[in-house]
Amino acid sequence: MKHIVGYRCTICGAELPYDERMTCPRCGEKGILDIVFDYNYIKKGFSRESLAKDHNNSMWRYAPLMPLKPRDFSPFLRVGWTPLYPSRRLGAELGLRALYIKDDGINPTASLKDRASGVAVAKAVELGYDTIACSSTGNAASSCAGNAARMGVKTVIFVPQRAPEGKVAQLMIFGAKVVSVKGDYKATFDLSKAAIEKYGWYNRNAGINPILTEGKKTVALEIAEQLSWQPTDWVCVSVGDGCTIGGVYNGFKDLYELGMIERIPKILGVQSTGCCPFVDAAREKRGLIPAEENTLADSIAVGVPRNPVKALRAVSESGGKWIAVSDEEILDTMRVLGRTEGVFGEPAGVTATAGLRRAVKEGLIGSDETVTVISTGSGLKDVKNALRAAGSPTLCEPNLSALDASGIL
Amino acid sequence: MKHIVGYRCTICGAELPYDERMTCPRCGEKGILDIVFDYNYIKKGFSRESLAKDHNNSMWRYAPLMPLKPRDFSPFLRVGWTPLYPSRRLGAELGLRALYIKDDGINPTASLKDRASGVAVAKAVELGYDTIACSSTGNAASSCAGNAARMGVKTVIFVPQRAPEGKVAQLMIFGAKVVSVKGDYKATFDLSKAAIEKYGWYNRNAGINPILTEGKKTVALEIAEQLSWQPTDWVCVSVGDGCTIGGVYNGFKDLYELGMIERIPKILGVQSTGCCPFVDAAREKRGLIPAEENTLADSIAVGVPRNPVKALRAVSESGGKWIAVSDEEILDTMRVLGRTEGVFGEPAGVTATAGLRRAVKEGLIGSDETVTVISTGSGLKDVKNALRAAGSPTLCEPNLSALDASGIL
């Protein structure tokens, strides 16, 4: 592929040819790779002007920046090109110059992970695999199963026995072969790894396959384009294993290298205080150590992040910050975002917005600045916590005088 | 408004000026009104060519065909312009010449009802109301609450005490005032009616407000435009109170009157055998009589449809058919649509596709014909029934030999 130079290991910096390998042979499984693009080549056919003429309203409009061979992407699920809403009320309440909300819950399987899974499925199809495997109980798994089903690619999904049955149901509706593993998440991951090696399936495990970051980056490309190539001063992202924030940075970096934006936004990485290995490491100026996974924001409850290098780089190289918020702040932000903007996010989805509210309170983000928050998944993914956030309605006898006396109105 | 001639009563045919009234003064509450457009006026500024130049990827691109004054719709939620997928496998399995799936679950609150609520909220804003009310526990209520929250319009939603708490939670997240009425649905509706009269809120009760049909019709406009103005021979729609199917017909009728399509597709109205007053009436060649509401497809469990005239007209004038499917066929179609196309619909959402499968089996739709099915809501709206449809995965010990012996692969 002419638009790709090769791989570069995020740990040792070794440069490698672009092939089917996924990690650095010297550094092993932790040696996650960057894909190095030839921007001078890409520039020839990809620009602000070429995009202005492109009516494709999906992430596939950015295919020239994906590590894929050119092809017709119309048979795939329509991932991306999600709404970027100018804030109607929350931005003013926080005293910000401008606030935008990127609602990535409006994706085919209702989360940002469709971006990664869409690109992974396209790569599996390109390489001729008939099966994709991954171990996860959440948005990665459901997006993998949905995007693969559309393309007639089989999926084998490994979930720990304790996986919530609602999430498992979604996988089975998409026709995935679901392996419910008697054991914890580590046992599940290890069995998936052994099975992938034995059966030669395409590997969609996040934090191993470098292509996933290159799908997630499209959310940054969209933010920039939807803001007419003038992205906000800050972009706020919730952080679990680090792949998404790494992708957001990669997207802005691509555009900067291509001369399509003038500066990379500062990235605010937001975690829950119940599980914040990145925030702890930044505060104590040390490397990451395993953290407890004690938060209701299950999609970002990752005690041992699998993509630390890309995540740390996103914040440090963009001049951003790390911040943590409590579960109470997350639940409160579910209500605030719903009430003020009409956006219903899952707990991990609204965590970035909770982080913005705290960052404003702490003076990290000032009133002269502009901000984009990414909501990474739909609130319908986690109705149990929506119930916790929302509370119960007041009962009312069926007559007008009871309604008037109820205090509801 | 120059593009509107007035109202016409669907029962007595009386012509009335276009104002804030919602039903016919002579026929009372059952006298649902049609909005009569001046197609010659509309033609001047609205055509295939004007749309081809319009980059707005939402239903607001069709504002010239809505009963609204011209305005900037960008502050509203981005409703519509949902994907129309060419079938990858199901169409071939059914032996059809072509099959398309319109996935209307990809809307801001995850159902087609956003189209109706978006237009209702725009009308309330246009008329200066600060509060919208509706009685419902389902997609109408959540779409009303979400679209209104975005625009800073208050909502009062009346739900019966037995309403599922998950759906109530979504309403409360959007900041709606939720009145949980001690009583059944009729008591709930009656209290909402009395309160709307007393407090003068804007009325979003379906089957009363004629504007709702004019929002829902945009799904037909999109299907036609996404198929380059050559809609399929058939369009299949699930039917509850009749507003949606009435809207689908209105949309195609508009385009036909404007000379933008050459014929109106035949409309297949699909109900559940557990609640099928339209299908029974068509088979027995009589008027509608109240039916039991005994189906798991809760969004179309309507024993006394509030919009019978528009629904009956949609099927008869298009040369279509009525058909009913069992709950088992609905659950099976959830799996089929997920597995073959990567589309996860709620039970009522996939009912149209279940109806297509039965219509092909019964020879109502032939292999030389082309078909579009509308999936009206996301499967995440009803995880309980997804679980019933999907079944449980097989447990596996955490080792490769157990996996090989499990029969899962």
Side-chain angles (χ1 to χ4, degrees), chain B residues 109 125 176 389:
Chain B
T109 77
V125 169

Side-chain angles (χ1 to χ4, degrees), chain B residues 116-350:
Chain B
S117 291
V119 173
V121 168
K123 178 54 88 177
V125 169
E126 179 184 303
L127 296 173
Y129 285 88
D130 71 352
T131 302
I132 305 183
C134 104
S135 62
S136 157
T137 67
N139 295 332
S142 56
S143 66
C144 183
N147 281 270
R150 172 90 195 131
M151 297 308 294
V153 175
K154 288 177 235 157
T155 42
V156 184
I157 311 285
F158 295 81
V159 304
Q161 184 176 358
R162 62 163 172 75
E165 52 181 7
K167 296 198 171 183
V168 173
Q170 194 180 0
L171 298 174
M172 297 189 71
I173 288 284
F174 285 134
K177 291 175 180 174
V178 180
V179 183
S180 177
V181 181
K182 284 186 188 165
D184 61 8
Y185 187 75
K186 188 174 179 309
T188 306
F189 183 86
D190 290 345
L191 179 58
S192 82
K193 194 183 152 192
I196 288 167
E197 275 168 19
K198 176 173 178 184
Y199 290 102
W201 301 319
Y202 189 74
N203 187 343
R204 192 250 177 262
N205 277 328
I208 287 186
N209 188 336
I211 207 173
L212 301 172
T213 312
E214 303 303 315
K216 289 175 181 170
K217 78 180 177 188
T218 59
V219 72
L221 306 178
E222 285 178 21
I223 289 169
E225 187 174 2
Q226 289 171 322
L227 291 172
S228 305
W229 311 108
Q230 306 283 334
T232 45
D233 300 318
W234 287 87
V235 172
C236 308
V237 192
S238 56
V239 181
D241 69 7
C243 281
T244 300
I245 193 170
V248 168
Y249 178 72
N250 280 15
F252 288 120
K253 185 86 182 330
D254 279 354
L255 295 176
Y256 182 77
E257 296 289 344
L258 288 164
M260 291 168 70
I261 59 174
E262 282 165 23
R263 53 164 184 72
I264 294 172
K266 293 174 274 189
I267 296 178
L268 184 74
V270 188
Q271 300 205 282
S272 162
T273 50
C275 182
C276 55
F278 285 109
V279 179
D280 290 343
R283 191 182 48 237
E284 295 165 20
K285 298 187 172 51
R286 56 157 173 78
L288 267 70
I289 54 176
E292 299 229 352
E293 298 181 352
N294 186 23
T295 170
L296 55 78
D298 65 298
S299 306
I300 54 166
V302 185
V304 182
R306 298 196 60 89
N307 221 330
V309 179
K310 290 189 185 179
L312 292 167
R313 185 175 65 187
V315 171
S316 64
E317 295 194 5
S318 72
K321 298 274 185 195
W322 288 101
I323 202 165
V325 291
S326 68
D327 280 3
E328 289 65 37
E329 288 172 275
I330 292 172
L331 289 178
D332 186 55
T333 303
M334 285 181 75
R335 289 187 295 267
V336 165
L337 210 50
R339 199 182 65 226
T340 60
E341 307 290 349
V343 171
F344 178 32
E346 67 169 322
V350 307

Side-chain angles (χ1 to χ4, degrees), chain A residues 159-218:
Chain A
V159 304
Q161 184 176 358
R162 62 163 172 75
E165 52 181 8
K167 296 197 171 183
V168 174
Q170 195 180 1
L171 298 174
M172 295 189 73
I173 288 284
F174 285 134
K177 290 175 182 173
V178 181
V179 182
S180 178
V181 181
K182 283 188 190 165
D184 61 8
Y185 187 75
K186 188 173 179 308
T188 307
F189 183 87
D190 288 347
L191 179 58
S192 82
K193 193 181 154 197
I196 288 167
E197 276 168 20
K198 175 171 178 184
Y199 290 102
W201 302 320
Y202 190 72
N203 187 343
R204 192 250 177 261
N205 278 328
I208 287 186
N209 187 336
I211 206 172
L212 301 170
T213 311
E214 302 304 314
K216 289 174 180 169
K217 78 179 177 188
T218 59

Side-chain angles (χ1 to χ4, degrees), chain A residues 161-368:
Chain A
Q161 184 176 358
R162 62 163 172 75
E165 52 181 8
K167 296 197 171 183
V168 174
Q170 195 180 1
L171 298 174
M172 295 189 73
I173 288 284
F174 285 134
K177 290 175 182 173
V178 181
V179 182
S180 178
V181 181
K182 283 188 190 165
D184 61 8
Y185 187 75
K186 188 173 179 308
T188 307
F189 183 87
D190 288 347
L191 179 58
S192 82
K193 193 181 154 197
I196 288 167
E197 276 168 20
K198 175 171 178 184
Y199 290 102
W201 302 320
Y202 190 72
N203 187 343
R204 192 250 177 261
N205 278 328
I208 287 186
N209 187 336
I211 206 172
L212 301 170
T213 311
E214 302 304 314
K216 289 174 180 169
K217 78 179 177 188
T218 59
V219 72
L221 305 178
E222 285 178 20
I223 290 169
E225 186 174 3
Q226 289 171 322
L227 291 172
S228 305
W229 311 108
Q230 306 283 333
T232 46
D233 299 318
W234 287 87
V235 172
C236 307
V237 192
S238 56
V239 181
D241 69 8
C243 281
T244 301
I245 194 170
V248 168
Y249 177 72
N250 279 16
F252 288 121
K253 185 86 183 327
D254 280 354
L255 295 176
Y256 182 78
E257 296 290 344
L258 288 163
M260 292 169 69
I261 58 173
E262 283 165 23
R263 52 164 185 71
I264 293 172
K266 292 174 274 190
I267 296 177
L268 184 73
V270 188
Q271 299 204 284
S272 162
T273 49
C275 182
C276 54
F278 284 109
V279 179
D280 290 343
R283 189 181 50 239
E284 293 165 22
K285 298 186 172 52
R286 55 156 172 78
L288 268 71
I289 54 175
E292 298 229 353
E293 298 180 353
N294 187 22
T295 169
L296 54 78
D298 65 299
S299 306
I300 54 166
V302 184
V304 183
R306 297 195 61 87
N307 221 331
V309 179
K310 290 188 185 180
L312 292 166
R313 184 175 66 187
V315 171
S316 63
E317 295 194 6
S318 73
K321 298 274 184 198
W322 288 102
I323 202 165
V325 292
S326 68
D327 279 3
E328 289 66 36
E329 289 172 275
I330 291 171
L331 288 178
D332 186 55
T333 303
M334 284 180 76
R335 288 188 295 269
V336 166
L337 209 51
R339 199 182 66 228
T340 61
E341 307 289 349
V343 170
F344 178 32
E346 67 170 319
V350 306
T351 296
T353 307
L356 166 65
R357 294 171 76 201
R358 172 152 291 282
V360 168
K361 200 183 282 176
E362 293 184 2
L364 295 179
I365 294 181
S367 60
D368 57 333

Side-chain angles (χ1 to χ4, degrees), chain B residues 3 38-51 54 61 63-65 258 260:
Chain B
H3 67 305
D38 181 344
Y39 295 113
N40 283 324
Y41 180 84
I42 291 168
K43 268 181 195 172
K44 290 179 200 166
F46 182 83
S47 64
R48 293 185 187 183
E49 293 70 31
S50 69
L51 286 167
D54 188 346
R61 64 196 278 107
L65 279 178
L258 288 164
M260 291 168 70

